[in-house]
Amino acid sequence: MVWRISKTAGENRPPVIFVPGWGFDGRILELAGPLLPWHHPEGFMDPASFRQDLLGFLDREGLDRVRLAGWSMGAHLALDFARDYPERVAELSLF
């Protein structure tokens, strides 16, 4: 999975990972105007491998903890990740 990485400086909180829902990918954030300072997948996600894909991304980027924002199917995936790796999730927002 390819992730778009936001290079927003100055915030001391863990970064936000947007987990999109079924039928669209993280590029949906571009419709909101100026790009939100969130990391997100650039293509469609495979629900079966999402947890391992996200864990690998966090490890490659050196991110110990993140804030997850999940929409629709992405909310289920974010919840599963938070259940399996609670030490990696600082906040969880499900929509």
Side-chain angles (χ1 to χ4, degrees):
M1 176 181 315
V2 176
W3 292 83
R4 180 177 182 132
I5 302 171
S6 175
K7 299 293 183 186
T8 306
E11 188 172 332
N12 292 327
R13 297 172 57 190
V16 175
I17 304 288
F18 175 66
V19 187
W22 190 259
F24 59 92
D25 63 37
R27 294 174 294 179
I28 194 79
L29 293 176
E30 295 171 12
L31 297 175
L35 188 62
L36 295 170
W38 294 358
H39 304 314
H40 61 81
E42 287 205 324
F44 291 104
M45 302 176 303
D46 178 356
S49 65
F50 174 76
R51 282 177 280 188
Q52 289 306 311
D53 292 340
L54 179 55
L55 192 60
F57 170 74
L58 298 181
D59 290 344
R60 281 190 308 277
E61 294 299 316
L63 300 171
D64 294 327
R65 296 188 62 173
V66 294
R67 297 178 286 160
L68 291 177
W71 171 265
S72 186
M73 179 193 68
H76 292 278
L77 296 174
L79 184 60
D80 288 345
F81 185 87
R83 180 196 64 220
D84 292 348
Y85 303 100
E87 71 282 358
R88 304 297 296 262
V89 179
E91 293 177 27
L92 181 62
S93 298
L94 307 174
F95 305 96

